[in-house]
Amino acid sequence: MIAPMRVLHIGWAYRPLRGGGLIAYVDDLMALQRERGLEIAYFCAGRVHWGKRAPRLSRWSRDGVVNFEIEDPCLLHAGDAGNFPPERELVEPYSEGFFRQVLSEFRPDLVHVHELAGLPFSLLSIASAEYRLPVAMTLHNYFMFCPTLNLYRSDGMLCILEEPSHQCPNCCGTDRHFREHLIQKTFALERTFLSRAVHQVLRPAENLLRRLCPAPGPSPELIRARLAGNLAYLAQIDLLISQSERTAEIYRQRTGRDDIHVLHSSLPHIDRLRPRTMTRAPERIRFATLNGCLAPFKGAGLIADALDILEEKGLGDRFHLDVWGEVHASVLNRLAVTPTVSLRGCYREDELDDLLDQVDVGLIPSLCEEVYGYTGIEFLAKGIPLIGNPRGGITDYLIDGGTGWLNRSCSAEGLAGLMEKAILDPSSLLPLNQAICVRRSEL
């Protein structure tokens, strides 16, 4: 009897410790592989506890997947601010030792890397050169090139990486509050009320100490070493999978590899969205954005500025905008006092079908090279036309005049102009909706 194939996935954290499309995709992929008879394990950096604790490897199972979690890792992932301390991205003995332990125990046939957030890049060499394992990597972001994930600079420009050492330290900044954020997530997961109470008492002193002695950002020399090392790793990985043509193009340009496979991914909840057929033009256009105001690189400022332009044109009573998801502090007050805006807060996947039922146009205002943009696919699955910027993977499904309109200038004026077009001519949405519904399965 042939033994089932064993696949070890590598990522950062897990639900509910983290959210977002990336971890949803990883969970769904592992579940599908389990259904097909494969043996699956997941290796990650995870929980961070209050106080000083040595890193340790936890082994636990959920839904048939064996999870190997590094608790209290030496390398902390700080989202779009980078990893801290940054020098441990190159070499980190604890994580390397735990990884060797997992490889020896689980004995995978294949290693599938989704991200190395909170983990050293040296794990790639251990898997391929030391253990002689085939390694696949799905390119969910630009982390191998860009410590802040998105190739989006702190000055609001796209990063072309001609001389990354100049700009990267400014983009990464310092560790700020991310350790505290991870601690709070761990408290919520473990429900350790006593530890939480003690931490609440001592937290002001800890925060003051962190402000007085912030962790330094990466040096230019470290950035150069990081990029050079990762380019070498990318050259050796057996299979690179991109979720969009644009992401594949960016990786081809920087690695010289012409064998990157493009595979448009989906999520099971998208299949469950029921398409809405527009039978008549709406009297008052309802726009919506899903996490479009989460951060500046997602287009938070673009939306706020576009709304101001539409108000100045006297169109404020002709439309409404639902903002779903978290709202960045830079635009929160502006949006909160705008009569045409409703801040709806966070939402769950199982709520999407109902909350999108009244939406006429979806906004995807991303200014970064969005790898794919699941929110755009969610809108299209409901038959909702899009307005978005020609950045990243969005152009794989936003066809100008076919599934929506492209804001080619990527400016607030351009966004306001396209929103005005829909407001003044709502009947223009009907053929777009019909075309999307006809092509729904393809899209």
Side-chain angles (χ1 to χ4, degrees):
M1 182 176 179
I2 300 175
M5 184 178 182
R6 304 166 73 88
V7 181
L8 176 65
H9 293 269
I10 299 178
W12 176 63
Y14 45 86
R15 294 189 287 187
L17 194 61
R18 66 171 294 190
L22 196 162
I23 193 61
Y25 171 77
V26 175
D27 280 352
D28 293 335
L29 175 60
M30 292 193 297
L32 182 60
Q33 290 175 333
R34 280 282 302 154
E35 290 176 11
R36 295 187 175 186
L38 280 66
E39 293 190 20
I40 304 300
Y42 180 62
F43 179 77
C44 69
R47 285 169 284 182
V48 176
H49 297 88
W50 168 70
K52 189 71 173 177
R53 299 193 188 191
R56 61 195 176 282
L57 184 67
S58 296
R59 185 186 190 281
W60 47 279
S61 297
R62 181 172 63 179
D63 299 328
V65 175
V66 181
N67 289 266
F68 296 96
E69 175 193 5
I70 302 177
E71 296 189 51
D72 300 299
C74 291
L75 187 63
L76 291 183
H77 182 49
D80 57 11
N83 278 339
F84 291 91
E87 64 272 11
R88 291 179 182 165
E89 283 190 299
L90 305 182
V91 177
E92 199 281 286
Y94 275 107
S95 298
E96 293 168 351
F98 292 143
F99 188 54
R100 289 187 179 96
Q101 180 180 335
V102 169
L103 292 179
S104 298
E105 177 182 338
F106 184 67
R107 295 177 289 106
D109 300 301
L110 171 72
V111 174
H112 187 167
V113 181
H114 297 275
E115 57 183 337
L116 287 167
L119 297 167
F121 297 109
S122 54
L123 300 191
L124 295 172
S125 179
I126 292 173
S128 60
E130 189 174 325
Y131 281 76
R132 305 290 182 181
L133 292 168
V135 177
M137 175 179 280
T138 297
L139 306 172
H140 294 279
N141 49 46
Y142 306 101
F143 189 50
M144 297 295 284
F145 305 132
C146 173
T148 67
L149 309 178
N150 298 301
L151 292 176
Y152 189 76
R153 299 187 340 196
S154 58
D155 60 3
M157 303 294 290
L158 289 176
C159 182
I160 58 176
L161 283 175
E162 287 183 349
E163 180 45 78
S165 60
H166 288 169
Q167 189 67 30
C168 289
N170 297 330
C171 294
C172 295
T174 65
D175 63 345
R176 294 183 290 179
H177 66 282
F178 282 92
R179 181 178 179 81
E180 177 68 25
H181 171 75
L182 293 171
I183 290 172
Q184 294 298 330
K185 287 284 189 179
T186 301
F187 278 145
L189 184 66
E190 296 183 345
R191 295 182 174 86
T192 49
F193 299 111
L194 180 60
S195 296
R196 187 201 298 258
V198 176
H199 174 63
Q200 293 294 333
V201 173
L202 298 179
R203 186 169 62 176
E206 287 184 332
N207 291 342
L208 176 61
L209 182 63
R210 193 169 295 115
R211 286 196 298 270
L212 294 175
C213 305
S219 66
E221 294 75 22
L222 187 60
I223 290 294
R224 279 193 287 268
R226 180 190 195 274
L227 181 59
N230 286 347
L231 286 173
Y233 289 137
L234 287 167
Q236 298 167 8
I237 290 174
D238 299 280
L239 175 63
L240 291 176
I241 304 169
S242 172
Q243 293 181 299
S244 67
E245 291 288 350
R246 176 56 180 158
T247 298
E249 178 186 357
I250 291 171
Y251 272 86
R252 290 187 192 113
Q253 290 172 348
R254 285 158 175 78
T255 64
R257 292 186 59 159
D258 58 4
D259 60 343
I260 299 174
H261 296 260
V262 177
L263 180 65
H264 291 147
S265 57
S266 186
L267 298 168
H269 78 271
I270 294 177
D271 288 333
R272 294 190 290 269
L273 298 177
R274 298 166 297 175
R276 171 194 171 204
T277 301
M278 294 184 181
T279 56
R280 59 185 178 84
E283 296 180 3
R284 186 185 186 197
I285 295 289
R286 180 170 291 271
F287 299 96
T289 185
L290 302 174
N291 294 311
C293 292
L294 177 67
F297 64 82
K298 287 288 189 180
L302 207 66
I303 284 184
D305 291 343
L307 293 175
D308 289 344
I309 293 171
L310 293 173
E311 285 288 340
E312 290 173 3
K313 290 187 174 185
L315 297 173
D317 60 347
R318 303 279 299 274
F319 73 95
H320 197 84
L321 171 64
D322 290 329
V323 176
W324 291 93
E326 295 181 25
V327 178
H328 194 263
S330 61
V331 298
L332 179 59
N333 291 336
R334 292 173 64 186
L335 296 179
V337 299
T338 303
T340 55
V341 174
S342 294
L343 302 181
R344 301 292 191 178
C346 296
Y347 59 94
R348 301 190 312 271
E349 292 173 358
D350 59 4
E351 297 174 320
L352 266 178
D353 196 50
D354 290 334
L355 68 87
L356 292 179
D357 261 340
Q358 305 304 315
V359 175
D360 302 307
V361 180
L363 304 182
I364 315 176
S366 293
L367 292 171
C368 64
E369 294 278 14
E370 194 78 65
V371 169
Y372 192 47
Y374 284 116
T375 60
I377 300 298
E378 290 168 337
F379 282 125
L380 292 180
K382 284 291 293 183
I384 299 171
L386 304 173
I387 296 177
N389 297 331
R391 294 277 170 90
I394 292 172
T395 54
D396 281 19
Y397 53 77
L398 205 176
I399 303 162
D400 201 18
T403 59
W405 299 293
L406 281 172
N407 175 18
R408 297 191 181 279
S409 68
C410 299
S411 65
E413 291 78 11
L415 175 59
L418 292 174
M419 293 175 70
E420 181 180 4
K421 178 180 178 179
I423 293 168
L424 298 181
D425 184 16
S427 62
S428 64
L429 300 177
L430 298 181
L432 293 176
N433 166 254
Q434 292 166 5
I436 292 168
C437 290
V438 168
R439 299 181 58 190
R440 183 179 182 275
S441 60
E442 172 193 343
L443 293 168

